[in-house]
Every structure is written in C-alpha cells, then in structure tokens.
C-alpha cells in the first residue's frame, strides 16, 4: 500500500497507522511534475499498481460573489486536476495489472448543489463526469471504475465537524465500502455508489 499526503510527515504517519509495510510519499496532486515522479516511484517500489483510490480533496466555503479566484482555483486544481493527473499517470500501470480498480471519492454535492459551495459542488460534478467517461474508456482493459458519493462524514473536512460525530457516516464506513467493492465479482461494475447517514440530524 502506498499513501500520499502533502507533507512527508503526514504520509509517514498514515502509513504507520495502516501498517503491513505501507509506504508514505509526499505529493501535492496539483503539481503535475510531482505526480509523474511519485506515481513512477510508487510503481517501481511496489512492483506495479493494481488499485488507485483518488481521495485528495479540499473544501473552501463561500458565496460565489465573495469567493476569490485563487480559492476557486485551489478547489478545482485539487479535486479535479489532481484526480486527472494521478489517474493519467497510473493508467499504464493499471492496464498492466489485468485486474485493476479505480475508486474516485466524490460527494453527494456532485448531485445536490447547495449555497456557498459553488467551487466544491462544481468540482464534484466534474469528478462524477470524469468517472463516467473513464469507466467506459477502460472497462475493456479489465479496469473497473467506481465513484463513491458519501454524504456527511465525521472528519475534520467541511462544516460542523464536532456536531457530526453522533449521526454522520464515519470514515471507516467509507473505507468498508471500498473494501466491499474490491471484493465484488470482476463481472460486476458498481459504477456509482451513494452513501448517506441512516439517521441524519433533524432540523
């Protein structure tokens, strides 16, 4: 397992939590030159790439009229460009696997727009569209593609983090879904998976 983060310290911490020989790599997915270098290194270090999980994301919350061009670019470059860069560089290695899987973590915001989230909603609509095109382009290469659209997840990402703990999805819920998808028959393609809290907060 290889895991990336913008700092080597964060990547190493996550790899240590995973265990089982996982390796951490520093990577800013917005930087295409870095992506090319790191994906090639991962493939060399691990002897190939069989599974790609695109989970890098950023949320900057503001009305469209008040959002700076720099903040908008940051969201799009991370959530959309980063996913494209990593996928593009990983595809030759995934094709060589002959039994590969790409899992793109999107959001219900990619279907259900709401105020003050223009950049984020736009980015997740783009992730959904890219994923829909990708699975059609690579399905005959024995590469499956799924995009997951979780609703509220109790992480430090997004709004109202502390208040989410009692009712929102947990990160482990999303992780379990990824593992379940990996164990499905290679004859089956779950192209889109929506996840919601079973009992969302009222009001």
């Amino acid at each position: 397992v290889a895991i990336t983060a913008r700092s080597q310290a964060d990547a190493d911490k996550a790899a240590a939590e995973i265990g089982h020989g996982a390796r951490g790599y520093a990577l800013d997915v917005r930087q295409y030159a870095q992506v090319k270098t790191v994906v090639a290194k991962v493939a060399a270090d691990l002897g190939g790439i069989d599974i790609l999980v695109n989970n890098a994301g950023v949320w900057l919350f503001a009305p469209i009229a008040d959002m700076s061009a720099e903040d908008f670019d940051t969201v799009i470059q991370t959530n959309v460009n980063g996913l494209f860069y990593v996928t593009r560089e990983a595809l030759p290695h995934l094709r060589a696997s002959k039994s590969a899987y790409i899992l793109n973590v999107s959001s219900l915001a990619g279907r259900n727009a709401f105020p003050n989230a223009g950049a984020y909603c736009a980015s997740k609509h783009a992730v959904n569209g890219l994923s829909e095109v990708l699975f059609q382009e690579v399905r005959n290469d024995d590469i499956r593609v799924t995009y997951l659209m979780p609703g509220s997840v109790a992480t430090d990402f997004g709004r109202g983090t502390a208040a989410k703990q009692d009712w929102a999805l947990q990160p482990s819920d999303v992780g379990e879904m990824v593992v379940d998808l990996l164990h499905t028959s290679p004859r089956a393609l779950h192209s889109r998976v929506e996840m919601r809290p079973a009992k969302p907060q009222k009001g």
Side-chain angles (χ1 to χ4, degrees):
V1 174
I3 188 164
T4 67
R6 280 177 291 177
S7 76
Q8 188 65 52
D10 286 343
D12 289 342
K13 179 181 177 183
E17 291 174 357
I18 293 170
H20 304 287
R23 303 187 189 195
Y25 299 80
L27 174 64
D28 182 345
V29 297
R30 297 172 297 178
Q31 305 300 321
Y32 185 42
Q34 282 189 37
V35 170
K36 292 182 70 172
T37 299
V38 171
V39 170
K41 182 167 177 53
V42 167
D45 289 349
L46 302 187
I49 299 174
D50 302 300
I51 299 163
L52 171 62
V53 180
N54 284 305
N55 189 49
V58 65
W59 172 308
L60 296 173
F61 203 69
I64 290 172
D66 299 332
M67 175 166 275
S68 69
E70 291 77 14
D71 283 352
F72 186 87
D73 286 346
T74 294
V75 175
I76 299 301
Q77 288 169 3
T78 304
N79 299 2
V80 184
N81 294 18
L83 181 147
F84 168 75
Y85 295 158
V86 175
T87 301
R88 185 183 188 281
E89 292 305 306
L91 274 174
H93 306 288
L94 293 163
R95 285 192 168 104
S97 170
K98 298 300 182 184
S99 181
Y101 214 133
I102 300 171
L103 296 118
N104 294 331
V105 180
S106 182
S107 168
L108 287 177
R111 286 194 60 194
N112 307 318
F114 53 96
N116 300 323
Y120 186 73
C121 289
S123 74
K124 293 305 182 178
H125 276 77
V127 168
N128 295 352
L130 281 169
S131 301
E132 293 270 358
V133 171
L134 183 63
F135 87 70
Q136 295 179 66
E137 291 181 347
V138 302
R139 65 198 309 176
N140 291 322
D141 296 324
D142 297 314
I143 302 173
R144 289 184 288 172
V145 179
T146 298
Y147 61 102
L148 289 79
M149 296 191 291
S152 296
V153 182
T155 68
D156 58 3
F157 182 89
R159 300 173 299 165
T161 300
K164 290 180 180 178
Q165 294 298 327
D166 294 333
W167 59 271
L169 296 168
Q170 296 297 312
S172 59
D173 297 326
V174 181
E176 288 171 5
M177 177 58 67
V178 168
V179 173
D180 287 346
L181 288 164
L182 293 173
H183 282 92
T184 57
S185 166
R187 295 184 303 274
L189 173 61
H190 298 76
S191 55
R192 179 179 70 203
V193 175
E194 297 185 12
M195 300 180 66
R196 294 175 172 82
K199 293 184 178 180
Q201 189 177 44
K202 295 181 179 179

